[in-house]
Amino acid sequence: SAPRYSVIIPTLNEADYIPLLLSDFQKQLFHSFEVIIVDGKSTDGTLDEIEKFRHSLNLRLLTAQKKNVSYQRNFGAENARGEFLIFIDADCRIPSNFMRKLDNAITKFKYLVYMPAMLPEKNKYMHETYTVLTNFISEVSRIIGRPFATSSTLIIEKNFFNFIGKYDEKMTIYEDQEIIQRAFKSGINAKL
């Protein structure tokens, strides 16, 4: 049976980061997901690092013809079998309960778009303050109708993603803000 979630990770020379994120996905307590990596023809050993996870994750590696994050995400989405798409960058980290908490939230709230709250990486005051502030700004912006993405991680229901027209491949920065605001204009607010 198809997994409930499709995790889509665009990569380009991410050999230092991708093993950390994939090992985070290995440690998940909830397992109904596939991982689709869309590589922009890396030259640094990224592909070797990905191969190490081939047998421990439900993993597919696709090669993108363009080095463009929006194109790579859209290409991953076209190949996704899950009901929800999880777009996440290779340099992100997730806790072991991330997928389970997400599944619980989706089952409970039935939203179409979710943005995970950020957690401070190191237990440093400045980092924590920034994180709390970013999450607060994101929540306020959502309430006042100018949604602001906290990070490049976005969870979106696949049919709705296709309905609003996917990522804008002409955009090279702020593509996360743009798709969240487009979702909002079509009447859908993101749940933090």
Side-chain angles (χ1 to χ4, degrees), residues 103-110 114:
D103 189 62
N104 288 343
I106 287 175
T107 303
K108 180 179 174 185
F109 296 112
K110 307 210 174 0
Y114 297 82

Side-chain angles (χ1 to χ4, degrees), residues 8-12 36-42 47 50 60-79 169:
I8 297 162
I9 310 169
T11 55
L12 179 62
I36 301 170
I37 297 174
V38 184
D39 187 69
K41 300 185 179 169
S42 292
L47 303 179
I50 293 166
R60 278 186 287 155
L61 175 60
L62 308 175
T63 303
Q65 296 312 309
K66 293 185 212 163
K67 292 177 169 70
N68 170 306
V69 168
S70 294
Y71 170 82
Q72 288 171 250
R73 289 175 180 161
N74 289 342
F75 186 54
E78 283 163 26
N79 287 277
E169 293 176 17

